[in-house]
Amino acid sequence: MAEEERGLSIDPYKHLNIIPNKDGSLTRATTTPDVPPICNAQGRGEPRDGVLSKDVPLNPAQATWIRIFAPHRPEQHHDLKLPVIIYMHGGGFILCSAATAPFDAFNATMAREVPAIVVSVNYRLAPEHPLPAAYDDALDALRFVAAQADPWLAEFADLSRCFLMGSSAGGNMVYHVALRALNEDLGQAKVVGLIMNQPYFGGAERTESELRLANDPIVPLASNDLMWELALPKGADREHEFCNPMKPSSAVGRLPRCMVWGHEGDPLSDRQKSFAEFLEGERVVVVARLNTLWNQPV
């Protein structure tokens, strides 16, 4: 198949609006804006559409933070404990933040409609911080929740109902963070479900959907390859477990119930199907939604 047909003639740096710097960092020329939280650091502010949000430091040594969302509730409902959703945003491990407008709006809607306490993780990005830095940061967020290290969590969170959720790269993170959390002492906190929307996985061998949709306007093959090149540890290829997770392990079968979403028209749809089948083969309870219309980019 010709290079043009395989989607490798596209300039991935231009497509992703990134510029490589000599020191190995990126200049990100994204056009997607960040938005501020609704409240100040002390949680003071007027609710917006029935929701409050604030930014809280997570690990000062790594300059990471979380954005916490909570539904605004009348005083008579303050005795209600809410589930906790720890959310990991997408962006191929190299783009976006917890403050990026679409993710902020999505988490605010979840906090209001579920309702739930949503903890959105602003994890470190590659290539400045290659994997597993993002996994480490998300695990820090889970420990933060378990410790009820914020007043909103102490007052409103039901630690027996914690969920890990993510889209694209965030879906990848959900899986790897959940495996790490199996060996964590989380006290009263219990992760009871994993929600992975278009989880971002890869491998050295091309799938049919990757080849068929090699020139996809959102995730062309060249951009997909570059994101993995930038995200993986130095010297690793796409068969590394962070990219290709489908390696049997006794730990996988200990994972809680999983929901895996896949979307028609996504070049990675074959990998999402294979991943759901892999989990089922490891005796994980899986709810698979793999033929829905595609509505969210990596």
Side-chain angles (χ1 to χ4, degrees), residues 27-112:
T27 297
R28 297 167 174 84
T30 179
T31 57
T32 306
D34 283 357
V35 296
I38 296 168
C39 301
N40 61 22
Q42 290 72 44
R44 298 190 184 94
E46 291 298 318
R48 185 183 306 148
D49 296 327
V51 177
L52 298 170
S53 65
K54 64 179 177 180
D55 290 347
V56 178
L58 180 59
N59 185 335
Q62 305 295 353
T64 54
W65 49 273
I66 54 177
R67 180 164 292 183
I68 307 178
F69 299 79
H72 178 66
R73 294 174 293 139
E75 186 69 29
Q76 62 265 30
H77 295 302
H78 277 193
D79 59 344
L80 176 66
K81 294 289 187 177
L82 301 174
V84 181
I85 300 172
I86 300 169
Y87 182 81
M88 299 151 224
H89 66 78
F93 297 109
I94 66 170
L95 298 171
C96 303
S97 78
T100 301
F103 298 120
D104 178 88
F106 176 73
N107 285 316
T109 299
M110 276 204 302
R112 181 180 64 248

Side-chain angles (χ1 to χ4, degrees), residues 9-23:
S9 62
I10 295 169
D11 181 343
Y13 287 96
K14 183 176 181 180
H15 178 262
L16 294 168
N17 286 321
I18 56 177
I19 301 169
N21 301 317
K22 291 182 179 179
D23 64 358

